[in-house]
Amino acid sequence: MTKPQTIENRSITARILDQPYLLLVLAPLFWGGNVIAAKLVVGEISPFLLLACRCVLATLFILPFSWHHLRADWDEVKRSWPVLMSYGIIGYALFNALLYVGLTMTTAVNSAIEQASLPMLILGANFLIFRVRARWLQIFGVLLAIFGVILTATHGDPSRILRMDINLGDGFVILACLAYTAYTLALRFRPKVHVFSFMAVSFFGAATAAVIMLALFGGGLGTVATLPQMSPTVWLVIAYVATFPSMFSQIAYARGVELVGANRAAPSHNLIPVFGTLGSVIILGEHLEAYHFLAAAIIITGIILAEWAARKSAA
């Protein structure tokens, strides 16, 4: 009689968490979906109310998962809570506030392409502020990518900058990218706490900032009373942005980095504008213009040149 085979009974979640490249696709997919979701409800819910709902719900959602780590890190959390909260204020609340406001005045396609400049903005800022060594080819790649963003923001006519004729929504999205660049640079000074402790306290900071922004710029806290009358689409969008781009993407990316390393995981960020653009066309029905293709090609070329120069420098 043959011995029956032992079948490892593992949950779907456990198996997914062992697939690094799947995780590194899911993370930018969820982040790219943030733009599409926010654009889907423009005119139905104010960007500040959407932001407040997202940040408060994300904080409540992560607390049960982070409680054990918060207790273990409590001494460090007590010492550095203003710093930890500031990460959430800048990287989550301010970034998304500027992004959501920008989306009320520009297309999701433009927003997605403009966010493609983030890796290059971070590289350029590292060079300017921290004097991180960079090859001339990397610097050229950064400048090329920034020109691609300018081309997008001016709708294919860079001379509009001289006339100060730039779409205000694109300006807000670019400011959002600068806020996230500052957040990313500041991560090198992040207090030494567990990632779940970091997320819990920074999310709380984001929630606090989002509620204050709602009170000051979003029509007041009384607008929360309008939520029961919102459409099912609004509720689905709130549920999506509070979970997938806020928490699941962070976990997926952190686990992907753990499995394959930061260098191999970093290029996955370039998928964010890809998913954002595809979703804008397929779900929102937005149209791609000639300048979108040209700007995307310029940005991608800049990214490739910078990545190639960085790898050559590390070899």
Side-chain angles (χ1 to χ4, degrees):
M1 187 174 180
T2 58
K3 185 178 179 179
Q5 292 182 339
T6 302
I7 300 176
E8 186 180 7
N9 187 18
R10 303 178 67 212
S11 68
I12 294 176
T13 302
R15 281 179 283 176
I16 290 175
L17 289 173
D18 283 338
Q19 303 295 322
Y21 295 105
L22 173 60
L23 294 171
L24 292 173
V25 169
L26 289 177
L29 174 64
F30 298 153
W31 281 321
N34 182 43
V35 172
I36 302 161
K39 187 64 177 179
L40 203 59
V41 292
V42 166
E44 292 190 67
I45 183 173
S46 85
F48 294 103
L49 181 54
L50 177 61
L51 176 69
C53 290
R54 170 183 177 164
C55 293
V56 170
L57 289 176
T59 304
L60 295 174
F61 188 77
I62 199 174
L63 277 177
F65 300 95
S66 59
W67 190 251
H68 170 73
H69 301 291
L70 279 170
R71 290 177 62 186
D73 293 330
W74 190 243
D75 288 340
E76 181 60 33
V77 169
K78 282 194 299 183
R79 280 194 298 269
S80 56
W81 67 266
V83 176
L84 290 167
M85 286 183 65
S86 69
Y87 283 104
I89 292 169
I90 297 171
Y92 302 145
L94 182 59
F95 168 75
N96 283 292
L98 292 167
L99 178 64
Y100 291 168
V101 170
L103 283 167
T104 65
M105 294 174 278
T106 191
T107 64
V109 168
N110 269 30
S111 174
I113 293 175
E114 284 154 1
Q115 286 183 77
S117 67
L118 269 172
M120 297 297 96
L121 288 175
I122 293 166
L123 176 64
N126 266 314
F127 173 72
L128 292 174
I129 298 172
F130 298 118
R131 299 300 177 186
V132 175
R133 292 184 62 184
R135 288 173 170 264
W136 284 109
L137 194 57
Q138 285 178 282
I139 298 171
F140 178 71
V142 170
L143 295 176
L144 203 58
I146 291 173
F147 177 72
V149 171
I150 292 172
L151 198 63
T152 305
T154 58
H155 294 204
D157 182 10
S159 66
R160 290 175 61 177
I161 291 181
L162 301 176
R163 304 193 300 269
M164 298 300 291
D165 182 20
I166 301 176
N167 182 284
L168 191 58
D170 293 303
F172 273 110
V173 175
I174 293 171
L175 287 175
C177 292
L178 293 175
Y180 200 81
T181 298
Y183 161 79
T184 304
L185 295 184
L187 284 174
R188 64 167 56 201
F189 307 114
R190 196 192 93 178
K192 302 298 182 183
V193 296
H194 191 275
V195 64
F196 273 92
S197 299
F198 172 74
M199 289 172 65
V201 183
S202 61
F203 278 17
F204 179 74
T208 303
V211 170
I212 292 172
M213 283 191 276
L214 175 62
L216 295 177
F217 312 117
L221 299 180
T223 56
V224 175
T226 64
L227 285 172
Q229 286 77 49
M230 296 286 180
S231 70
T233 301
V234 171
W235 281 101
L236 286 172
V237 165
I238 290 173
Y240 175 81
V241 298
T243 52
F244 288 90
S246 299
M247 184 172 175
F248 292 155
S249 57
Q250 303 286 350
I251 294 171
Y253 185 72
R255 176 61 174 163
V257 170
E258 182 183 348
L259 292 173
V260 302
N263 287 340
R264 291 167 66 188
S268 67
H269 281 93
N270 298 325
L271 291 174
I272 298 174
V274 174
F275 288 129
T277 302
L278 288 175
S280 301
V281 173
I282 296 170
I283 298 173
L284 301 175
E286 293 186 356
H287 299 289
L288 289 170
E289 305 292 343
Y291 72 84
H292 286 135
F293 291 102
L294 180 58
I298 290 173
I299 293 171
I300 290 170
T301 301
I303 290 171
I304 291 172
L305 288 175
E307 289 279 351
W308 182 77
R311 290 176 184 276
K312 189 174 180 180
S313 179

